[in-house]
Amino acid sequence: MSDKSEMDIKTYAKHARIWGLYGPEETEKYEYWCKYAENFGKNILLPMCAVGNIGAYMAKRGFNVTAFDITPEMIAEGQKRFGGIENLKYYNADIRDFNFDINPVDFCFGADFGFLLTIEDIRKALVCISRHMRKGGCLPMELWFRTLNDESDYSPPERFDLGEVLPGVKAWKIGESRNDGETGRWHLSQEVHIEENGSEEIFDHSFILQSYYREEWINALHDAGFEWENEYKNREKEVWQEDDESWFVEAIKR
């Protein structure tokens, strides 16, 4: 990773103690993934898991979950919250280079591949996932595409209140973003505020998300041993069309 990416991981790590303690109720989303996974089996791989909220939920539902993240602080917080749950294993590992001694995986899912900033990193991640997955296992992915002649745009600073994330602890973010149509990169800059016991911690959290052309994804999946079984525009499985930028692909290990 570049120095820039390493710096971003360090600021991302500062979120660990409040990560996933805010926002709307997530049960509906968690149930969606449980029902989806049941069609393929009980062994789940959860890459880039942060503290592993959804992995903990699935483990409680009887799945065997292997969750991992590149940030030690996120894994430590996940183990602190959910370490007593059976069928849930945590690892500190990089999605581009991991090797776990686990049973072959039936199902793996994630939506954070945009954090991988080169197509070579995407290929490395898919190869690692494929190596851990049984033949016929499923890798559904929620992605968005680069499009030809995409226009750049900018969203000015906006405040997002996260509410009282812990007793006596409030948090909010002030963020702006810029989409670079020439490179397919989305630049986000956030100022995170955590207020506790009358004092306030403030830190910057800037990061980049990279989008890729559909053909790049198809080639990378094929090279890693996957075939795209179905493709949709969203989780509701609406038909994908050529002008849709979002892509929900159901890839199957050959």
Side-chain angles (χ1 to χ4, degrees):
M1 285 191 180
S2 68
D3 291 341
K4 171 70 174 168
S5 297
E6 291 290 352
M7 181 185 68
D8 292 340
I9 288 175
K10 290 176 183 177
T11 58
Y12 162 66
K14 293 182 179 181
H15 291 76
R17 72 187 183 96
I18 65 167
W19 194 269
L21 297 175
Y22 47 82
E25 176 59 47
E26 298 277 53
T27 300
E28 184 177 351
K29 180 178 74 174
Y30 294 172
E31 279 295 315
Y32 172 88
W33 288 113
C34 285
K35 291 176 181 178
Y36 201 144
E38 284 174 350
N39 295 314
F40 296 91
K42 291 292 187 179
N43 295 325
I44 310 299
L45 185 65
L46 186 59
M48 306 170 81
C49 70
V51 300
N53 288 8
I54 188 169
Y57 185 93
M58 296 183 78
K60 289 179 180 178
R61 288 285 306 273
F63 291 93
N64 302 310
V65 180
T66 300
F68 68 98
D69 196 273
I70 195 172
T71 311
E73 291 84 353
M74 287 291 182
I75 295 302
E77 180 65 24
Q79 291 174 324
K80 178 181 175 181
R81 296 185 197 178
F82 309 120
I85 298 176
E86 294 185 8
N87 307 324
L88 175 61
K89 296 179 180 179
Y90 277 107
Y91 291 94
N92 177 209
D94 187 331
I95 191 173
R96 300 164 300 178
D97 183 19
F98 67 94
N99 189 20
F100 304 142
D101 183 15
I102 58 175
N103 291 327
V105 172
D106 301 306
F107 192 81
C108 172
F109 65 100
D112 294 328
F113 288 94
F115 285 103
L116 303 179
L117 300 184
T118 69
I119 194 63
E120 182 58 30
D121 282 344
I122 293 290
R123 292 178 187 277
K124 289 177 180 178
L126 293 176
V127 166
C128 283
I129 292 170
S130 178
R131 187 169 62 237
H132 289 75
M133 183 171 282
R134 68 166 175 82
K135 182 178 180 181
C138 182
L139 172 65
M141 294 186 295
E142 296 176 279
L143 308 168
W144 78 97
F145 292 139
R146 288 189 66 180
T147 56
L148 293 174
N149 303 316
D150 192 15
E151 296 183 359
S152 299
D153 57 55
Y154 170 74
S155 297
E158 183 177 358
R159 174 168 169 155
F160 302 90
D161 282 296
L162 307 178
E164 189 175 35
V165 295
L166 290 167
V169 180
K170 294 182 180 180
W172 64 93
K173 299 179 181 180
I174 300 174
E176 61 182 329
S177 64
R178 175 175 57 86
N179 175 48
D180 187 336
E182 185 175 346
T183 63
R185 289 192 170 185
W186 188 28
H187 301 257
L188 294 95
S189 180
Q190 298 178 345
E191 187 178 80
V192 182
H193 297 248
I194 302 176
E195 186 180 85
E196 182 177 11
N197 298 325
S199 63
E200 186 176 335
E201 178 184 7
I202 304 173
F203 57 89
D204 291 325
H205 182 221
S206 298
F207 56 95
I208 298 170
L209 298 174
Q210 175 70 54
S211 59
Y212 299 93
Y213 294 112
R214 178 174 178 270
E215 291 73 19
E216 290 180 296
W217 271 110
I218 288 174
N219 290 335
L221 284 164
H222 183 271
D223 291 346
F226 290 98
E227 294 289 352
W228 52 102
E229 185 79 2
N230 296 295
E231 58 180 350
Y232 310 100
K233 66 185 297 182
N234 50 35
R235 291 182 191 174
E236 287 67 43
K237 298 188 176 181
E238 295 181 70
V239 177
W240 184 84
Q241 300 183 26
E242 289 292 333
D243 59 347
D244 290 327
E245 294 184 14
S246 61
W247 193 44
F248 189 100
V249 59
E250 186 179 75
I252 302 296
K253 170 73 178 291
R254 295 196 302 267

